[in-house]
Amino acid sequence: MAAIATQCTLVAIVTIVLWKVYRRLYRASPLDNIPGPPPSGSWLTGHAKKLFHREGWQFHYEMYDYGHVVRLDGIFGQPLLFVYDPVALHNIVVKDQQIFEETSAFLAMNELIFGKGLLATLGDQHKKQRKILNPVFSINHMRHMLPIFYKVTDRLRDAIASQVTSGPRTIDMAHWMVRVALELVGQGGLGCSFDALTDDTPNAFGEAIKQLGPIIFPVRHLLTITRKIGTPGFRRWVGERIPHWRARKARELIDTLHTVSCEIVNSKKAALAKGDEEVIHQVGEGKDIISKLLQANMVASAEDRLSDEEVVAQVSTLVSAAMDTTSGVLSHLLHLLADHPDVQERLRKEVIGARQEADGGHISYDRLVELPYLDAVCRETLRLYPPLPGIGKTYVRHVVLPLGKPLRGRDGTLMHELLIPKNTNIAIGILASNRNPELWGPDADEWKPERWLSPLPETLINAHIPGVYSNLMTFLGGGRSCIGFKFSQMEMKVVLATLLESFTFSIPLELEEPIYWNLAGIQFPTVGKISTKPELPLRVELLREGGE
């Protein structure tokens, strides 16, 4: 019986796929006139294989040759639009955001992994979740969390110092950045500790978060189809009978996330029920995001209140969104500073000076966020190396998309707007927008923190990039912008300020291959292009007294 049910499910999936392929291949589309690279030659993967390949930097650069909107071949023969035109982006993420939804693959994957959290919901349900979460990501709340962050980064400093007391040493800083990012979101976000930062004992929750993406990502489009078949219980029943190793491992990891998330929420609820005295004795002292969310949820009206399922889903959603992306940017920052010792030294002097102003104590929140060179270094890194090079959207109905710059069609006509059919998938070119030479100037592909210390180009200001942060699309914009971008910024600045006043970082002379940054879904470093092991070996030396 089980075998028959599985076979029927597979037949249904194949039928749906073949029907979609047939419609795409043999029906003319208004998108056919949009310029783009030569056909991919693969109806199965299209250009997606190059677009998301870990060595796909050159393919992204080639997008500039075709205009601000580029037609690509998507999976299963579907057209895919690559968009970084500022006016088009404004319509997609702000003006008409209600008709540009996250792709089915994105929603299916996040719902399967995390449940009905921020990354897996749409429309009114998503707005309700953001409404109750917004206050805990406010600047005022960031101030309250800063002491928690310093407590974690001081432990990080001590752990690294213990490894270099006898002299300089090559250390995998990517490993440490993942660990500190997990602990920062653990204490500041969830009010619990995942990693004491004293030994290399792996944490089951953190390991599950890190492993799930690579396991599920290759089959994410299959999830889109299976998500529409039967009830959740039926899908689970079928999934448990799929013999493939990816399915077995995914079930195991997802169960770990759900179990730990429930334990965290239940412990917070129990502490809140016992009163303030119990709350302040927990990690985070009740200032963490989940504790504040539960408190707000208790007094919310019935229509605004989140279900227990939604609250639990926010736990693993928050950790996943904060851990890989922030640790990647921190690793990139350290690599760039090691590669640019003059920038590192200038930044160190600024941080040490601010520390001296605080009489040797921790730098206050207001002073930390206003340090000009620290801010410039972080902004420039987020501009040039956004954690996500792009993100997908789907049109839920036919729409006319206006353009800021006319597009020359394949037939030679000049187009000022585009007719986009319903269900067309697009890729928002975050990396392309952040590096657009027409807006940022001819040095757009160069890392220059100093550009943020002078007025930005008028062409950029007048383009009105719809990003929520610094004329960048790094954290997106509109109702689907990154809700925790202030949290992420504070993490980066606290970690950098703590490390730079204690250590110097440089590129090890013994490296056989240069450090290479892989594009992929989320950028990660390897030693050379052949290796797939994420690592960032840097020479770390304890700073002598007097900052020398």
Side-chain angles (χ1 to χ4, degrees):
M1 186 68 182
I4 294 175
T6 303
Q7 290 175 4
C8 290
T9 301
L10 292 175
V11 169
I13 292 172
V14 171
T15 301
I16 293 172
V17 170
L18 291 177
W19 171 243
K20 288 189 174 184
V21 170
Y22 175 80
R23 293 180 65 199
R24 293 291 184 181
L25 291 178
Y26 297 101
R27 186 176 61 178
S29 168
L31 306 178
D32 293 342
N33 195 37
I34 298 175
S40 64
S42 171
W43 70 269
L44 180 62
T45 61
H47 290 111
K49 189 173 182 180
K50 290 184 177 180
L51 192 65
F52 299 108
H53 195 277
R54 68 190 191 101
E55 295 180 28
W57 293 100
Q58 186 58 40
F59 187 73
H60 278 260
Y61 294 148
E62 291 171 1
M63 296 299 104
Y64 299 138
D65 296 336
Y66 303 104
H68 294 175
V69 179
V70 184
R71 187 198 185 284
L72 303 174
D73 295 337
I75 63 166
F76 303 137
Q78 302 178 44
L80 173 67
L81 291 188
F82 182 87
V83 182
Y84 64 101
D85 178 277
V87 172
L89 288 177
H90 182 268
N91 275 261
I92 293 168
V93 303
V94 179
K95 184 179 178 182
D96 294 327
Q97 58 183 290
Q98 71 279 1
I99 61 173
F100 297 94
E101 294 182 348
E102 315 309 297
T103 65
S104 296
F106 179 87
L107 295 170
M109 185 167 68
N110 285 304
E111 183 179 350
L112 177 67
I113 297 173
F114 310 123
K116 286 287 189 179
L118 270 178
L119 297 179
T121 53
L122 297 170
D124 291 339
Q125 187 178 14
H126 181 83
K127 290 178 183 177
K128 182 176 73 170
Q129 292 185 10
R130 285 189 74 103
K131 179 180 178 181
I132 204 165
L133 281 166
N134 273 328
V136 298
F137 286 102
S138 66
I139 291 176
N140 186 51
H141 191 59
M142 293 300 106
R143 288 192 178 93
H144 292 307
M145 283 200 291
L146 186 59
I148 299 173
F149 278 38
Y150 276 128
K151 187 187 304 182
V152 174
T153 54
D154 284 350
R155 291 207 327 250
L156 171 69
R157 177 200 59 214
D158 295 344
I160 296 176
S162 68
Q163 297 187 24
V164 295
T165 50
S166 58
R169 181 178 172 183
T170 297
I171 297 175
D172 179 8
M173 291 306 298
H175 169 73
W176 282 105
M177 292 305 97
V178 169
R179 291 180 65 177
V180 75
L182 175 62
E183 185 62 2
L184 284 168
V185 74
Q187 292 205 26
L190 311 182
C192 63
S193 179
F194 290 124
D195 190 341
L197 299 175
T198 55
D199 54 43
D200 288 331
T201 303
N203 176 271
F205 191 78
E207 289 299 308
I209 290 285
K210 286 190 290 184
Q211 294 178 38
L212 259 173
I215 287 175
I216 292 182
F217 190 78
V219 294
R220 64 196 183 282
H221 297 293
L222 182 62
L223 298 177
T224 307
I225 300 170
T226 57
R227 182 172 179 248
K228 301 175 182 178
I229 300 175
T231 64
F234 174 75
R235 292 195 294 271
R236 173 82 183 194
W237 182 83
V238 172
E240 289 173 347
R241 285 154 179 79
I242 297 176
H244 197 278
W245 71 269
R246 285 188 186 274
R248 290 195 303 271
K249 188 63 177 177
R251 288 196 303 272
E252 174 189 323
L253 296 175
I254 290 169
D255 287 343
T256 297
L257 291 186
H258 184 71
T259 300
V260 176
S261 297
C262 288
E263 290 173 353
I264 290 171
V265 171
N266 289 335
S267 70
K268 295 299 173 186
K269 283 184 174 181
L272 289 171
K274 292 179 180 179
D276 294 342
E277 187 67 25
E278 182 71 18
V279 171
I280 63 174
H281 284 95
Q282 288 201 317
V283 175
E285 302 175 353
K287 299 174 184 176
D288 61 276
I289 291 169
I290 295 300
S291 291
K292 292 297 182 183
L293 168 62
L294 286 169
Q295 290 170 357
N297 207 40
M298 289 167 60
V299 299
S301 63
E303 62 180 16
D304 290 335
R305 192 174 301 131
L306 303 187
S307 66
D308 288 345
E309 178 190 9
E310 289 176 290
V311 173
V312 169
Q314 307 308 331
V315 174
S316 50
T317 297
L318 178 62
V319 174
S320 176
M323 191 178 78
D324 281 346
T325 53
T326 301
S327 64
V329 175
L330 281 169
S331 294
H332 228 136
L333 280 161
L334 291 178
H335 181 206
L336 288 164
L337 291 173
D339 211 24
H340 298 79
D342 55 329
V343 175
Q344 182 181 163
E345 184 56 30
R346 180 177 174 179
L347 183 54
R348 179 177 293 109
K349 288 180 178 178
E350 182 180 76
V351 168
I352 292 176
R355 204 40 202 268
Q356 290 171 344
E357 292 173 7
D359 296 325
H362 288 132
I363 305 170
S364 69
Y365 177 85
D366 291 330
R367 186 71 178 112
L368 184 70
V369 297
E370 71 180 13
L371 290 177
Y373 203 55
L374 176 60
D375 192 57
V377 167
C378 290
R379 287 175 190 259
E380 182 67 350
T381 304
L382 287 167
R383 181 190 73 84
L384 200 62
Y385 302 106
L388 300 173
I391 192 167
K393 294 275 188 179
T394 298
Y395 294 80
V396 298
R397 63 177 174 83
H398 296 288
V399 68
V400 174
L401 185 67
L403 302 175
K405 181 179 180 180
L407 188 66
R408 181 73 64 181
R410 293 176 184 269
D411 62 2
T413 60
L414 204 59
M415 299 178 287
H416 297 269
E417 57 187 21
L418 302 173
L419 175 62
I420 311 297
K422 179 181 178 181
N423 296 327
T424 297
N425 288 332
I426 65 169
I428 293 177
I430 295 175
L431 183 67
S433 177
N434 288 358
R435 293 188 176 202
N436 187 349
E438 295 180 16
L439 303 183
W440 292 92
D443 61 352
D445 284 327
E446 299 177 37
W447 188 70
K448 290 185 174 181
E450 290 74 17
R451 77 172 75 242
W452 296 95
L453 303 178
S454 303
L456 294 173
E458 285 295 320
T459 51
L460 175 66
I461 302 301
N462 294 334
H464 302 293
I465 300 296
V468 72
Y469 170 74
S470 294
N471 296 289
L472 303 174
M473 289 302 295
T474 303
F475 296 109
L476 292 181
R480 302 291 300 203
S481 62
C482 175
I483 195 172
F485 79 94
K486 293 186 181 72
F487 186 97
S488 178
Q489 285 178 277
M490 189 166 75
E491 285 182 284
M492 296 174 203
K493 292 183 177 182
V494 171
V495 171
L496 281 185
T498 302
L499 294 182
L500 286 178
E501 67 176 357
S502 298
F503 310 103
T504 60
F505 300 91
S506 57
I507 305 298
L509 297 177
E510 68 271 17
L511 282 186
E512 296 181 358
E513 296 283 344
I515 294 167
Y516 178 76
W517 279 88
N518 300 264
L519 195 62
I522 296 178
Q523 294 183 43
F524 65 94
T526 55
V527 177
K529 293 183 179 181
I530 297 177
S531 172
T532 57
K533 177 187 176 184
E535 60 179 331
L536 177 64
L538 293 180
R539 183 179 184 271
V540 183
E541 184 174 3
L542 197 61
L543 201 63
R544 296 192 296 271
E545 290 294 328
E548 300 179 355

